């Protein structure tokens, strides 16, 4: 089953507006929550990531809000620009057995369109 | 600094054939992971390698296999191709602690099975 649920599937925002994408998870063992941005013809690129001991992380116009009790996290894009038009994926992972590496469980993605 | 290089970029194969995809990670990166991306299933984890050892494997049939070489380059192989294997196959690399540094993805290999 889908380990990470992402919404909305698509989002249209006016230039200068705030884009908000939400994700929810069930597995309380997850301890790393990255967001990726993907443009057509390219692989996903890491935007920003957060760990569950922090409730918010901001990098430039991008902010992750994390609610551990609700098992939800969201991406806020402030002052959205046409160049932000892309597909955004949330993801989660947990520490593997005897390893610091782990697989990423991705949400289904949100196609963001920012129009001028 | 070169990124993650995947070859070939595009591939067309016939059902029943086999295919090998290649991934060269960023220089110095020792961890390589593979993901399959399709419109229906999204991004699905295939394998993770670190120092030539498979550390994790996703829920894919045995037709999907991979390996990592001593120079950290990786290959994945799909045998007896099916139409449903048509997808974008993405390779990602990390210096070692993937969850600290994050993964850097390549642009993928677009596989079409006809």
């Amino acid at each position: 089953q889908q380990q990470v649920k992402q919404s909305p599937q698509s989002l249209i925002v006016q230039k200068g507006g705030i884009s908000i994408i939400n994700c929810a998870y069930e597995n309380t063992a997850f301890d790393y929550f990255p967001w990726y941005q993907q443009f057509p013809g390219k692989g996903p690129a890491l935007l920003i990531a957060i760990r569950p001991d922090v409730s918010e992380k901001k990098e430039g116009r991008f902010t992750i809000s994390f609610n551990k009790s609700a098992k939800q996290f969201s991406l806020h894009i402030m002052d959205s620009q046409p160049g932000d038009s892309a597909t955004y994926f949330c993801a989660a992972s947990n520490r593997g057995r005897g390893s610091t590496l782990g697989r990423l469980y991705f949400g289904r993605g949100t196609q963001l369109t920012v129009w001028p | 600094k070169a990124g993650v290089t995947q070859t070939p970029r595009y591939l067309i194969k016939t059902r029943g054939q086999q295919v090998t995809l290649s991934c060269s990670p960023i220089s110095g990166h020792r961890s390589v992971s593979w993901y399959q991306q399709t419109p229906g299933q999204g991004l699905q984890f295939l394998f993770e390698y670190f120092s030539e050892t498979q550390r994790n494997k996703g829920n894919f049939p045995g037709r999907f296999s991979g390996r990592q070489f001593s120079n950290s380059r990786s290959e994945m192989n799909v045998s007896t191709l099916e139409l449903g294997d048509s997808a974008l196959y993405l390779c990602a690399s990390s210096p070692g602690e993937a969850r600290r540094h994050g993964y850097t993805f390549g642009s993928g290999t677009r596989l079409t099975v006809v």
Side-chain angles (χ1 to χ4, degrees):
Chain A
Q1 76 277 20
Q2 194 73 16
Q3 295 263 5
V4 178
K5 295 182 180 177
Q6 183 173 347
S7 63
Q9 193 171 358
S10 62
L11 184 61
I12 299 174
V13 172
Q14 195 167 6
K15 179 183 175 182
I18 302 173
S19 304
I20 302 174
I21 304 171
N22 300 300
C23 285
Y25 64 96
E26 285 298 324
N27 188 344
T28 54
F30 287 149
D31 62 355
Y32 174 70
F33 302 89
W35 284 88
Y36 284 83
Q37 177 190 57
Q38 186 177 27
F39 293 103
K42 299 290 186 182
L46 178 66
L47 259 182
I48 186 172
I50 198 169
R51 300 189 188 281
D53 53 348
V54 176
S55 61
E56 186 175 281
K57 183 175 181 180
K58 184 176 181 179
E59 289 185 4
R61 296 184 295 111
F62 301 92
T63 300
I64 298 179
S65 296
F66 186 84
N67 186 329
K68 188 173 180 178
S69 60
K71 292 184 285 187
Q72 295 175 346
F73 58 110
S74 60
L75 176 70
H76 292 64
I77 305 174
M78 312 301 287
D79 187 26
S80 299
Q81 299 296 313
D84 297 331
S85 297
T87 302
Y88 292 80
F89 294 92
C90 61
S93 76
N94 62 295
R95 189 175 296 270
R97 287 175 303 184
S99 169
T100 58
L101 307 174
R103 62 181 285 182
L104 287 170
Y105 295 88
F106 283 90
R108 287 295 182 93
T110 296
Q111 189 156 355
L112 171 65
T113 302
V114 182
W115 53 280
Chain B
K1 189 176 182 181
V4 178
T5 303
Q6 292 189 245
T7 56
R9 286 297 312 275
Y10 303 92
L11 206 49
I12 299 176
K13 288 287 187 178
T14 304
R15 266 184 306 175
Q17 285 186 313
Q18 77 164 19
V19 67
T20 299
L21 311 182
S22 179
C23 172
S24 293
I26 292 173
S27 178
H29 284 198
R30 297 167 63 193
S31 167
V32 172
S33 295
W34 289 88
Y35 287 81
Q36 181 196 64
Q37 185 173 25
T38 61
Q41 298 299 316
L43 284 148
Q44 300 285 314
F45 172 78
L46 281 156
F47 333 95
E48 175 191 41
Y49 288 91
F50 183 76
S51 295
E52 302 179 68
T53 301
Q54 188 178 88
R55 291 296 186 94
N56 284 292
K57 189 178 191 303
N59 299 324
F60 278 82
R63 300 185 296 107
F64 291 80
S65 62
R67 58 179 175 168
Q68 185 180 32
F69 302 96
S70 58
N71 61 359
S72 294
R73 192 177 70 84
S74 178
E75 289 181 348
M76 67 164 282
N77 184 278
V78 188
S79 63
T80 319
L81 284 166
E82 300 177 0
L83 295 178
D85 297 333
S86 295
L88 180 66
Y89 289 89
L90 292 160
C91 169
S93 77
S94 172
E97 289 193 30
R99 293 169 331 111
R100 175 182 296 177
H101 301 280
Y103 291 100
T104 300
F105 281 85
S107 293
T109 293
R110 172 75 62 184
L111 173 65
T112 302
V113 182
V114 297

